[in-house]
Amino acid sequence: MTTARERQRAYQQDLLTALEIELRPHETTTVLIVDGGGQPCLEVVDRHFRTRRVYVQMAFHWFYWGDQHDERTSSLHLLKAAERIAAAAREGWREGEQGVLSVNVGKIADAYRG
């Protein structure tokens, strides 16, 4: 029997695989991996040969590659997401380490219950 977490990871991997397919016509170098924390992600190389990892945030239906507002895009529209990610890779990733998007859905839900 599969757990909810296993099903979620499988769905994330399916979304990332679909994104990888959509990025191919944009000549964007990608590799689908599982990171050290067990999260599936897509490594994307920019024009300076720097790598960022694109993850899926299931609660908000985002693909994200950093912690800034312009470093995420909807996972509901694969073509638009691929175009946005390919454009960001062509422009080049921000200097420095990749920011980590951390969203505490529990705190967000509590704010709306309050």
Side-chain angles (χ1 to χ4, degrees):
M1 182 181 341
T2 61
T3 66
R5 182 168 294 234
E6 289 169 334
R7 287 191 304 272
Q8 180 178 356
R9 296 242 195 274
Y11 183 63
Q12 288 172 323
Q13 190 161 342
D14 289 347
L15 279 173
L16 290 165
T17 298
L19 177 62
E20 184 176 35
I21 291 166
E22 294 300 331
L23 283 167
R24 287 180 189 156
H26 296 280
E27 298 179 358
T28 305
T29 304
T30 62
V31 178
L32 184 62
I33 66 165
V34 175
D35 72 8
Q39 290 285 347
C41 60
L42 192 61
E43 285 193 336
V44 181
V45 179
D46 75 357
R47 67 187 191 115
H48 303 290
F49 302 103
R50 295 178 302 201
T51 302
R52 288 287 187 259
R53 291 181 174 176
V54 176
Y55 291 91
V56 179
Q57 209 313 315
M58 298 295 292
F60 297 104
H61 302 284
W62 290 335
F63 290 118
Y64 67 94
W65 54 95
D67 59 354
Q68 302 299 311
H69 179 71
D70 64 342
E71 294 177 325
R72 61 182 175 246
T73 187
S74 174
S75 63
L76 298 176
H77 306 284
L78 279 174
L79 291 174
K80 288 182 182 179
E83 290 169 0
R84 174 64 189 108
I85 292 166
R90 278 191 307 274
E91 294 167 10
W93 306 124
R94 283 192 169 86
E95 291 290 332
E97 295 294 317
Q98 179 173 357
V100 178
L101 180 67
S102 62
V103 178
N104 186 330
V105 178
K107 283 186 179 181
I108 294 169
D110 289 345
Y112 284 100
R113 287 187 201 126

